[in-house]
């Protein structure tokens, strides 16, 4: 499953386009975000993606969870969203 990382500076429409492309190609994707701003951008991107893939008959399901990732040798807690068709 392809992982898309979102920051607080990510543009939601750009992330949504990338997420829609991954969903069409692979069928599922994981979106990771660290921090409130990044989670906000990720949720907006997922909502926009829903509009992009709905005309193709795809309804999305999102499963949120916490995950530990390593950045620059430090363990950080991120929120991951597993996005897949219903």
């Amino acid at each position: 499953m392809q992982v898309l990382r979102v920051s607080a500076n990510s543009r939601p429409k750009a992330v949504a386009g990338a997420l829609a492309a991954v969903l069409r190609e692979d069928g599922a994707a994981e979106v990771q975000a660290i921090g409130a701003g990044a989670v906000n951008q990720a949720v907006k991107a997922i909502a926009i993606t829903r509009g992009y893939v709905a005309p193709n008959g795809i309804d999305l399901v999102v499963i949120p969870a916490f995950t530990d990732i390593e950045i620059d040798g430090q363990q950080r807690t991120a929120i991951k969203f597993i996005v897949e068709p219903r």
Side-chain angles (χ1 to χ4, degrees):
M1 184 178 310
Q2 189 164 341
V3 177
L4 300 174
R5 292 199 171 148
V6 177
S7 77
N9 299 323
S10 297
R11 294 176 313 154
K13 283 190 176 183
V15 175
L19 182 55
V22 170
L23 288 170
R24 287 185 184 115
E25 186 176 311
D26 298 341
E30 181 178 318
V31 178
Q32 290 182 349
I34 299 175
V39 169
N40 180 48
Q41 297 301 77
V43 170
K44 286 193 282 187
I46 292 168
I48 294 168
T49 302
R50 225 177 142 229
Y52 287 169
V53 299
N56 298 336
I58 301 172
D59 189 23
L60 298 181
V61 174
V62 180
I63 304 165
F66 289 105
T67 185
D68 292 321
I69 60 173
E70 187 174 323
I71 298 178
D72 298 329
Q74 296 181 352
Q75 288 284 6
R76 302 285 305 267
T77 300
I79 292 185
K80 69 177 178 179
F81 299 97
I82 298 171
V83 184
E84 55 193 22
R86 180 177 300 214

